[in-house]
C-alpha cells in the first residue's frame, strides 16, 4: 500500500495487478479413439458421360483420356453419379457441381467436357442421376429436381422441362414435400420418393406402376400420390427393383409388388396397388423376346403384330428361382401369334446361392462354396473354365454393351405343311467378369459357347462398373481399364488391360470427429472435439453457425448465453481434403444471474427479502440467519428484535455456489418505556411530581441554594420524605434509581466538564474479483466473465470532511505469446481497459450513520478514474460495505503492442484473440474531502 499526502487531501491508493489467463483448459471425460492410418484409396465410382469415362477415387474426380492418362477435375467430392446424359458431383461441404458446357449439364453438349460448374443449390446430402434428370436431397429432408420432365416425373407440379433451373418437389397440396429420405427412378417417366413412413410416386401410370387407384392406368400425375397397400415404413429398410413393367419392393422382411402382375397365369392383368407376395422375392430380373411379322415390318415398320415373351429370375432365401415363359418355349412356333405357355409359379433351380447375374438367356450364379454355375431353365451346369481354373470365386460383375440395341435374326418355323418366317429380336448378351480370391481376373462375353478368358492383370481386389465400362483395382492401388472391346458386326471375347496413370491413390484417412459435451457450474455447454490422431491432419475447424463461418479449434468451445447452435466440426489434410462432418444441434440454456445479485433487501423493521437475480428453474436460493443452518428461501422473513447477520446464496442443483451476499440487519425497534413513579408515597400528603409551592425542590438546585440530586451532609434528605416535605423525583434510599452514581464525586453543577474525541481510522479494503484465477478455455469471441465483489470503507476520523472512493485500471497487456510468422513467443498484444465494466449498487452501513453512499450505475473503464462511492461533508462517518459486480467481455480481436524483429505483425494492428496471460493494474483511491 502506498500513502500519498497532499496539503488538502489524504489519499489511499491500493494497487492490484489483475491477471487474466487464457489457456488450454482441461476437460474431463474425453473419448479415446484408435489411431488413424494412411491406406490405399478405393475406387468409388465410374461414370460414362457423353462418350467419356470419369472416375471418383480418393475424393477426387478424374477424366480418363484415350491414352490412359487421368486428368484431375474436382476435389473434396463425396458422391459422383451420372449417366450418358448427365454427370453430377456432391462435395463434402454440401455443394453440387456438374460437368457442363455453356451452362448445359443435362443432355449431350457437343465436344469434350472437362469443366465442373457449381449449381445453385447447397446443403445437399444426396444426389441421383437418371438419364436426363437429376434429384437433390437437402439435409432438411426436402427434395429438388432438374432436367427432362417426361410425363411430369420430376414431381414439380407441371410437365415443363427444367434445364438449367432447379425446382422443389411438391406434395399433393402443392406445398413442398417434407421428410424425404430416399429416391428411386424407373426409366425416364416414373419416380418414387420415400419419406419417413410412406412411399410416393408420380409420372406415367403405365400398367398401374404408380400403385394408386386414383390415377387412371396409362394416365399420369405431376404431383406425388401415395403407393397404396404398403405398411408404415418407419424404421424399415426399403429396396425397389424393376423388371418388365413390374415393381418389387422389399420392405424389411416382407415383399410387395405392383404394376403388371407376373404371378397371374397370363401375365396380362394389372396390379394397381401394392400387394404382399407369399414368397420372399428378392431382386426381380427379366429376359424378353419380341416376335415381329417380317412382311409388315419390312413394308411400313408395322409393330402391331409384335409379341413379347417374358422370363423371370429371382433370388429367394438363398435359392435361385425362375418362372414365366421358359427359354425353350421362346422358339415354339405354336405360340405365334398366340400366347406362349406362361408359368406363374416360381421353380427352384439352384440352392446355396449368394449372388447371381442375368446375362441374357441364362444366369450365372455364385454359390456359398465359391463355385460358379450356369442356369438356363432346368439346364444347370457348373462352370469350370478351360482347364478347371474357375474356382474360389470372390465376385462376379456384369456390364451392358456399349450400343444397347437388340440384334435381329431371321428364323424359320414350320407347322405341318405351312412354313412361317419371322424376325426374332434377341436381347443382347452381356459380358461378365469373374474375380477370384487370389486376385486373378477372368471374363466371358456371351455364353457357354465361348470359353472364359484370363485378363492379364494380377492382384485384383475389386471391380467397379460404370456405364458399359469396367475398372479393376489391385492390392497396390493401381487401377486398370478392363472393359469389354465391343464389335457390333463381329462380336469377340476380347478385353482391355490398360493401366491408368496420374491417379492419386494414397488415401488420407481422416476420422469423423467425435463430440463430448460437459456443463460448467452455470450450465453452459463446453464442447470438446476429438479429431483423431492421424498424422495427416493439417487443420482442425469448428463452426457454430451451421458451417457459414469456420474457426480454428484450439481448445474446448464454451457456449454462452441462451441460444441454439448448429455445431459442426471437421479436420482437413493437404490438398483440400476434409473429414466427414460432425454435426450436432445444441440448446444452451445457462443459469444467468444479473450483475449485483443475489442481494439481501432490508425493508426495515426486521423485514428481510432475497432477490436472486435469476429465474432459471435449475437453481436453489437459500438463507442463513446468525450463522445457523441454511434454509430454502421461500419468501420474506421477519427477524426478531436485535442485530442479526443475514446470508444468502444461490446454487445449482449439484450444490455449486453461483453467487452469495451477506448483510447486518436490525430487528424491529422496541417501543419506549415510561419512567415509573416511586412505589412509596408520603402518608400524610402524597408526593406530587412537582414540589409544593412553599418549598419547591427543583431537579437541579437554584443557584442561591443548590439542592443536589443527593442531599448534602449538613441537611440530609431522609430516605422517605417527612410529612412536611414532599418526596423528590429521585426515588428514596429504599429503592434508589439515581441518574448518576453518588459515588462519582462532586455535583456536576459545580464543575466545568470537558472531553476529547480521538480521531479514528480512514481506510478501505477491497475483496474479491480474483481475475488471476480466471481461466478462459477457448479463444471463442464475445465471452463474458462475471465477478461479484465488495469494498469496505471506514471513516472514523470524526472530522466530517467527507470522501470519495475511485478506481482506475490500465489496459490488459499479455505476456509474450506465439508469433506464428517467427515461430517464437515474442508477440505482445493487449485488450483495452474498456473490456471491463462495473455495476455499483447502494452501500450497506456496518457502523455509524445509516446512509447510501454508492454511486449506483454501470461504468465502463477507460483512461480516467471511475468514482464508485462518495460522502459529502458531515456524511459517511462510519463503516460501509460497497457491493460491486465486475463484467469482463473478452473481445475477438486484440491489438498488437510489439513484435520481434522480422515479424509480419505490426504494432497497432489487430489480430485474433491469443492464448496467454494478460495483466492490468488496478488502482483504488480513497481521498479525503469532496
Amino acid at each position: 500500500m502506498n500513502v500519498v499526502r497532499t496539503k488538502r487531501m489524504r489519499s489511499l491508493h491500493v494497487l492490484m495487478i489483475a491477471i487474466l489467463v487464457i489457456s488450454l483448459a482441461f476437460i474431463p471425460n474425453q473419448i479415446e479413439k484408435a489411431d488413424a492410418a494412411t491406406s490405399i484409396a478405393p475406387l468409388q465410382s465410374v461414370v460414362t458421360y457423353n462418350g467419356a469415362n470419369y472416375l471418383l477415387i480418393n475424393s477426387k474426380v478424374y477424366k480418363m483420356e484415350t491414352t490412359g492418362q487421368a486428368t484431375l477435375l474436382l476435389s473434396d467430392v463425396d458422391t459422383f453419379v451420372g449417366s450418358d446424359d448427365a454427370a453430377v458431383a456432391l462435395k463434402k461441404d454440401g455443394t453440387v457441381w456438374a460437368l457442363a458446357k455453356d451452362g448445359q449439364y443435362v443432355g449431350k453438349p457437343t465436344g469434350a467436357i472437362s469443366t465442373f460448374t457449381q449449381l445453385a443449390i447447397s446443403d445437399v446430402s444426396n444426389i441421383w442421376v437418371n438419364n436426363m434428370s437429376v434429384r437433390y436431397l437437402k439435409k432438411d429432408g426436402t427434395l429438388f429436381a432438374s432436367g427432362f420432365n417426361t410425363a411430369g416425373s420430376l414431381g414439380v407440379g407441371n410437365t415443363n422441362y427444367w434445364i438449367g433451373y432447379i425446382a422443389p418437389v411438391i406434395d399433393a397440396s402443392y406445398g413442398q414435400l417434407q421428410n424425404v429420405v430416399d429416391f428411386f427412378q424407373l426409366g425416364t417417366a416414373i419416380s418414387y420418393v420415400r419419406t419417413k413412413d410412406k412411399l410416393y410416386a408420380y409420372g406415367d401410370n403405365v400398367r398401374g406402376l404408380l400403385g394408386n387407384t386414383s390415377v387412371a392406368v396409362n394416365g399420369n400425375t405431376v404431383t406425388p400420390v401415395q403407393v397404396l397397400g404398403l405398411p408404415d415404413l418407419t424404421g424399415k429398410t426399403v429396396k425397389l427393383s424393376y423388371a418388365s413393367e413390374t415393381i418389387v419392393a422389399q420392405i424389411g422382411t416382407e415383399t410387395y409388388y405392383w404394376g403388371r402382375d407376373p404371378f397371374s397365369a397370363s401375365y396380362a392383368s394389372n396390379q394397381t396397388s401394392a400387394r404382399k407376395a407369399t414368397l420372399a422375392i428378392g431382386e426381380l430380373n427379366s429376359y424378353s423376346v419380341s416376335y415381329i411379322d417380317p412382311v409388315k415390318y419390312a413394308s411400313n415398320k408395322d409393330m402391331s403384330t409384335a409379341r413379347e415373351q417374358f422370363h423371370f429370375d429371382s433370388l429367394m432365401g438363398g435359392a435361385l428361382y425362375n418362372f414365366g415363359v421358359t427359354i425353350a418355349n421362346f422358339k415354339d412356333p405354336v405360340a405365334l401369334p398366340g400366347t406362349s405357355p406362361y408359368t406363374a409359379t416360381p421353380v427352384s433351380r439352384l440352392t446355396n446361392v449368394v449372388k447371381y447375374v442375368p446375362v441374357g438367356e441364362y444366369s450365372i450364379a455364385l454359390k456359398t462354396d465359391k463355385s460358379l454355375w450356369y442356369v438356363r431353365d432346368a439346364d444347370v451346369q457348373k462352370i469350370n473354365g478351360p482347364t478347371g481354373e474357375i474356382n474360389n470365386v470372390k465376385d462376379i460383375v456384369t456390364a451392358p454393351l456399349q450400343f444397347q440395341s437388340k440384334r435381329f435374326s431371321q428364323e424359320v418355323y414350320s407347322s405341318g405343311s405351312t412354313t412361317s418366317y419371322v424376325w426374332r429380336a434377341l436381347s443382347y448378351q452381356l459380358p461378365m467378369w469373374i474375380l477370384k480370391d487370389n486376385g486373378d481376373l477372368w471374363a466371358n462375353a456371351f455364353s457357354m459357347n465361348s470359353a472364359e478368358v484370363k485378363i492379364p492383370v494380377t492382384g485384383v481386389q475389386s471391380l467397379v462398373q460404370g456405364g458399359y465400362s469396367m475398372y479393376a483395382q489391385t492390392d497396390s492401388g493401381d487401377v486398370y481399364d478392363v472393359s469389354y472391346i465391343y464389335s457390333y458386326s463381329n462380336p469377340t471375347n476380347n478385353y482391355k488391360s490398360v493401366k491408368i496413370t496420374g491417379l492419386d491413390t494414397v488415401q488420407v484417412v481422416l476420422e469423423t470427429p467425435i463430440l463430448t459435451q460437459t456443463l460448467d457450474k452455470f450450465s453452459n455447454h463446453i464442447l470438446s472435439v476429438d479429431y483423431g490422431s492421424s498424422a495427416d491432419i493439417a487443420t482442425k475447424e469448428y463452426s457454430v453457425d451451421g458451417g457459414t463461418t469456420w474457426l480454428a479449434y484450439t481448445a474446448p468451445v464454451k457456449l454462452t448465453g441462451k441460444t441454439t447452435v448448429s455445431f459442426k466440426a471437421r479436420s482437413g489434410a493437404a490438398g483440400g481434403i476434409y473429414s466427414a462432418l460432425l454435426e450436432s444441434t445444441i440448446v444452451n440454456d445457462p443459469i444467468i444471474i444479473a450483475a449485483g445479485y443475489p442481494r439481501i433487501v432490508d425493508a426495515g423493521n426486521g423485514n428481510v427479502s432475497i432477490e436472486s437475480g435469476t429465474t432459471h428453474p435449475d437453481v436453489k436460493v437459500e438463507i442463513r440467519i446468525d450463522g445457523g443452518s441454511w434454509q430454502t428461501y421461500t419468501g420474506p422473513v421477519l427477524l426478531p428484535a436485535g442485530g442479526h447477520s443475514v446470508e444468502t446464496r444461490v446454487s445449482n442443483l449439484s450444490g455449486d455456489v453461483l453467487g452469495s451476499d451477506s448483510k447486518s440487519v436490525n430487528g424491529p425497534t422496541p417501543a419506549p418505556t415510561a419512567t415509573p413513579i416511586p412505589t412509596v408515597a408520603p402518608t400524610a400528603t402524597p408526593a406530587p411530581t412537582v414540589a409544593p409551592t412553599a418549598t419547591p425542590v427543583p431537579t437541579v438546585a437554584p443557584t442561591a441554594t443548590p439542592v443536589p440530586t443527593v442531599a448534602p451532609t449538613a441537611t440530609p434528605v431522609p430516605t422517605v420524605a417527612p410529612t412536611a416535605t414532599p418526596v423528590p423525583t429521585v426515588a428514596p434510599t429504599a429503592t434508589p434509581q439515581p441518574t448518576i452514581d453518588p459515588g462519582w464525586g462532586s455535583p456536576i453543577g459545580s464543575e466545568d466538564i470537558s472531553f476529547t474525541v480521538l480521531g479514528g481510522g480512514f481506510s478501505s479494503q477491497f475483496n474479491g474479483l480474483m481475475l488471476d484465477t480466471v481461466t478462459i478455455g477457448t479463444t471463442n469471441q464475445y465471452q463474458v466473465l462475471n465477478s461479484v465483489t465488495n469494498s469496505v470503507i471506514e471513516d472514523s476520523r470524526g472530522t466530517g470532511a467527507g470522501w470519495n472512493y475511485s478506481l482506475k485500471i490500465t489496459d490488459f497487456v499479455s505476456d509474450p505469446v506465439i508469433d506464428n510468422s517467427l515461430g517464437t513467443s515474442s508477440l505482445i498484444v493487449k485488450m483495452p481497459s474498456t473490456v471491463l465494466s462495473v455495476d455499483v449498487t447502494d452501500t450497506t452501513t456496518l457502523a455509524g450513520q445509516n446512509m447510501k453512499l454508492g454511486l449506483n450505475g454501470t461504468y465502463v473503464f477507460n483512461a480516467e478514474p471511475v468514482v464508485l462511492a462518495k460522502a459529502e461533508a458531515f456524511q459517511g462517518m462510519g463503516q460501509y460495505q460497497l457491493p460491486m459486480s465486475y463484467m469482463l467481455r473478452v473481445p475477438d480481436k486484440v491489438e498488437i503492442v510489439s513484435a520481434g524483429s522480422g515479424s509480419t505483425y505490426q504494432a497497432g494492428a489487430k489480430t485474433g484473440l491469443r492464448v496467454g496471460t494478460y495483466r492490468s493494474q488496478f488502482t483504488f483511491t480513497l481521498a479525503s474531502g469532496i
Side-chain angles (χ1 to χ4, degrees):
M1 178 181 297
N2 297 326
V3 180
V4 179
R5 301 181 185 275
T6 66
K7 182 178 181 181
R8 298 184 56 196
M9 184 178 297
R10 180 183 178 218
S11 301
L12 303 181
H13 298 270
V14 179
L15 302 181
M16 175 188 297
I17 301 298
I19 303 174
L20 175 65
V21 181
I22 301 179
S23 63
L24 302 178
F26 172 75
I27 301 296
N29 303 322
Q30 292 283 357
I31 300 175
E32 297 297 328
K33 296 175 61 181
D35 291 345
T38 301
S39 62
I40 299 300
L43 179 59
Q44 296 167 265
S45 64
V46 176
V47 170
T48 301
Y49 167 58
N50 203 19
N53 287 339
Y54 300 83
L55 272 59
L56 173 62
I57 187 170
N58 207 6
S59 302
K60 299 179 177 70
V61 174
Y62 295 86
K63 181 183 179 184
M64 299 299 101
E65 309 295 349
T66 56
T67 60
Q69 173 70 31
T71 301
L72 176 63
L73 301 184
L74 192 66
S75 299
D76 198 33
V77 177
D78 181 76
T79 304
F80 180 52
V81 293
S83 67
D84 201 37
D85 297 290
V88 182
L90 171 61
K91 296 187 72 171
K92 292 179 180 178
D93 62 3
T95 58
V96 179
W97 300 69
L99 282 169
K101 185 176 183 181
D102 299 326
Q104 182 180 356
Y105 64 92
V106 174
K108 295 182 178 180
T110 302
I113 308 298
S114 299
T115 304
F116 274 96
T117 299
Q118 184 174 356
L119 304 186
I121 190 168
S122 60
D123 206 30
V124 175
S125 63
N126 207 350
I127 54 175
W128 297 266
V129 171
N130 183 272
N131 293 329
M132 290 183 285
S133 61
V134 187
R135 302 307 192 286
Y136 317 83
L137 177 60
K138 299 193 71 172
K139 294 177 182 178
D140 63 2
T142 56
L143 188 67
F144 291 76
S146 65
F148 282 34
N149 194 14
T150 307
S153 59
L154 290 184
V156 297
N158 55 49
T159 57
N160 299 333
Y161 282 16
W162 291 78
I163 307 298
Y165 300 93
I166 298 174
V169 174
I170 62 174
D171 59 20
S173 302
Y174 284 81
Q176 190 162 11
L177 192 63
Q178 305 290 324
N179 301 316
V180 177
V181 296
D182 205 356
F183 174 81
F184 176 81
Q185 185 158 358
L186 205 172
T188 60
I190 306 174
S191 300
Y192 298 90
V193 175
R194 182 206 168 170
T195 64
K196 176 183 177 183
D197 57 349
K198 296 179 177 64
L199 185 68
Y200 293 90
Y202 43 93
D204 191 354
N205 196 32
V206 60
R207 293 285 186 176
L209 283 171
L210 298 184
N212 190 298
T213 54
S214 68
V215 183
V217 173
N218 298 325
N220 62 66
T221 177
V222 296
T223 58
V225 294
Q226 184 179 346
V227 176
L228 303 178
L230 296 178
D232 187 313
L233 305 182
T234 304
K236 296 183 174 69
T237 58
V238 177
K239 181 181 179 182
L240 301 183
S241 62
Y242 169 75
S244 297
E245 300 174 341
T246 301
I247 284 286
V248 173
Q250 294 170 283
I251 301 175
T253 58
E254 299 175 333
T255 304
Y256 296 79
Y257 66 93
W258 62 94
R260 196 170 186 175
D261 190 349
F263 301 107
S264 65
S266 64
Y267 189 45
S269 62
N270 299 320
Q271 180 65 40
T272 56
S273 61
R275 181 176 183 179
K276 187 175 181 180
T278 56
L279 294 171
I281 306 171
E283 182 175 332
L284 195 64
N285 289 290
S286 65
Y287 172 67
S288 64
V289 174
S290 299
Y291 296 91
I292 305 167
D293 185 313
V295 177
K296 290 186 177 182
Y297 184 80
S299 62
N300 59 10
K301 308 300 181 185
D302 182 10
M303 297 289 291
S304 62
T305 59
R307 314 296 294 182
E308 279 192 296
Q309 310 296 356
F310 296 91
H311 174 87
F312 293 92
D313 290 319
S314 183
L315 187 60
M316 308 180 192
L320 181 61
Y321 288 77
N322 56 42
F323 59 101
V325 179
T326 63
I327 300 298
N329 279 336
F330 278 10
K331 295 184 178 182
D332 185 354
V334 179
L336 299 175
T339 302
S340 297
Y342 187 94
T343 302
T345 303
V347 178
S348 176
R349 300 300 189 187
L350 188 67
T351 59
N352 298 319
V353 177
V354 293
K355 182 179 182 179
Y356 86 99
V357 293
V359 287
E361 294 184 357
Y362 54 92
S363 297
I364 303 299
L366 176 62
K367 296 187 65 172
T368 55
D369 64 0
K370 299 186 178 183
S371 59
L372 205 59
W373 294 74
Y374 159 95
V375 179
R376 186 180 186 274
D377 293 339
D379 183 8
V380 179
Q381 301 180 38
K382 185 177 180 182
I383 299 175
N384 295 311
T387 57
E389 298 92 338
I390 306 303
N391 51 50
N392 295 320
V393 177
K394 178 180 180 180
D395 196 11
I396 51 176
V397 184
T398 188
L401 296 178
Q402 184 171 354
F403 301 99
Q404 297 180 11
S405 59
K406 295 182 179 181
R407 295 188 298 112
F408 290 84
S409 64
Q410 186 180 31
E411 299 185 2
V412 179
Y413 291 95
S414 298
S415 177
S417 61
T418 304
T419 300
S420 299
Y421 297 89
V422 297
W423 284 91
R424 179 179 180 216
L426 298 173
S427 292
Y428 45 78
Q429 306 279 9
L430 303 180
M432 180 187 65
W433 287 259
I434 305 166
L435 176 60
K436 296 183 59 175
D437 280 343
N438 64 358
D440 287 348
L441 185 61
W442 292 73
N444 193 331
F446 291 104
S447 68
M448 288 291 290
N449 296 328
S450 299
E452 288 73 32
V453 297
K454 185 176 182 181
I455 299 176
V457 179
T458 59
V460 177
Q461 294 297 305
S462 62
L463 295 169
V464 179
Q465 174 261 332
Y468 45 79
S469 299
M470 187 69 66
Y471 286 81
Q473 187 171 26
T474 67
D475 49 14
S476 62
D478 293 332
V479 176
Y480 288 82
D481 182 354
V482 292
S483 301
Y484 172 65
I485 301 174
Y486 181 79
S487 174
Y488 182 78
S489 59
N490 184 25
T492 62
N493 202 18
N494 297 327
Y495 301 83
K496 297 179 182 179
S497 56
V498 179
K499 182 178 179 180
I500 307 302
T501 59
L503 295 175
D504 176 13
T505 60
V506 178
Q507 181 183 27
V508 176
V509 178
L510 298 178
E511 300 166 276
T512 303
I514 292 180
L515 176 64
T516 301
Q517 300 184 45
T518 57
L519 298 175
D520 67 6
K521 67 179 183 179
F522 287 94
S523 293
N524 288 300
H525 280 73
I526 299 174
L527 310 179
S528 302
V529 182
D530 180 2
Y531 291 86
S533 56
S534 171
D536 295 303
I537 295 177
T539 59
K540 298 177 180 179
E541 298 177 322
Y542 73 95
S543 172
V544 293
D545 56 10
T548 301
T549 306
W550 288 96
L551 304 171
Y553 179 90
T554 58
V557 178
K558 180 179 179 180
L559 302 182
T560 58
K562 188 170 184 178
T563 182
T564 298
V565 169
S566 175
F567 185 81
K568 296 185 178 182
R570 68 185 183 185
S571 62
I577 300 172
Y578 289 96
S579 69
L581 283 178
L582 159 68
E583 299 182 79
S584 180
T585 299
I586 301 165
V587 178
N588 196 57
D589 184 17
I591 300 169
I592 300 175
I593 300 177
Y597 291 85
R599 65 183 182 184
I600 300 168
V601 179
D602 181 1
N605 210 30
N607 291 292
V608 173
S609 61
I610 305 299
E611 294 179 354
S612 66
T614 182
T615 58
H616 200 284
D618 295 337
V619 299
K620 54 184 178 181
V621 182
E622 297 175 295
I623 188 171
R624 181 167 69 173
I625 300 172
D626 296 332
S629 60
W630 287 99
Q631 303 293 329
T632 300
Y633 177 77
T634 57
V637 175
L638 179 60
L639 301 176
H644 300 278
S645 169
V646 180
E647 299 170 82
T648 186
R649 67 185 183 187
V650 176
S651 308
N652 59 25
L653 298 183
S654 298
D656 299 314
V657 177
L658 309 179
S660 62
D661 189 24
S662 62
K663 196 169 191 177
S664 296
V665 180
N666 291 323
T669 303
T673 304
T675 304
I677 298 174
T679 305
V680 181
T683 303
T685 305
T689 304
V690 180
T693 305
T695 312
V697 182
T699 303
V700 179
T703 305
T705 310
V707 180
T709 305
V710 181
T713 306
T715 311
V717 178
T719 302
V720 179
T723 303
T725 307
V727 178
T729 302
V730 179
T733 305
T735 309
Q737 295 181 350
T739 304
I740 301 175
D741 189 334
W744 284 0
S746 303
I748 193 169
S750 63
E751 295 183 1
D752 291 329
I753 303 298
S754 65
F755 61 90
T756 301
V757 179
L758 299 177
F762 184 49
S763 65
S764 68
Q765 178 180 340
F766 177 69
N767 304 306
L769 196 58
M770 297 181 68
L771 288 177
D772 56 327
T773 63
V774 174
T775 297
I776 303 173
T778 174
T779 55
N780 189 17
Q781 58 183 337
Y782 308 128
Q783 300 171 78
V784 176
L785 303 175
N786 292 318
S787 180
V788 179
T789 67
N790 65 76
S791 289
V792 176
I793 304 167
E794 179 184 355
D795 181 9
S796 55
R797 300 169 297 169
T799 62
W803 48 263
N804 63 62
Y805 183 63
S806 64
L807 169 59
K808 179 180 180 181
I809 75 168
T810 62
D811 292 341
F812 292 82
V813 180
S814 74
D815 290 350
V817 298
I818 288 293
D819 185 328
N820 294 329
S821 67
L822 298 177
T824 61
S825 296
S826 57
L827 188 67
I828 296 178
V829 297
K830 72 175 182 179
M831 302 178 196
S833 60
T834 54
V835 300
L836 187 71
S837 63
V838 61
D839 185 70
V840 180
T841 54
D842 284 332
T843 56
T844 300
T845 303
L846 303 179
Q849 296 171 297
N850 188 10
M851 54 183 55
K852 305 299 184 183
L853 302 172
L855 299 184
N856 294 6
T858 300
Y859 304 93
V860 178
F861 290 97
N862 51 39
E864 300 300 322
V866 174
V867 178
L868 308 176
K870 183 176 181 180
E872 301 291 342
F874 301 106
Q875 293 183 356
M877 292 184 289
Q879 190 178 60
Y880 304 90
Q881 185 179 72
L882 176 65
M884 294 170 287
S885 177
Y886 289 84
M887 182 175 291
L888 180 71
R889 291 178 172 83
V890 181
D892 64 328
K893 301 289 186 182
V894 291
E895 180 181 337
I896 297 171
V897 177
S898 65
S901 176
S903 172
T904 59
Y905 295 95
Q906 299 295 323
K910 297 288 187 179
T911 187
L913 179 61
R914 295 307 184 92
V915 170
T917 299
Y918 292 72
R919 305 176 188 273
S920 174
Q921 179 175 281
F922 284 42
T923 303
F924 292 87
T925 302
L926 178 61
S928 176
I930 309 300

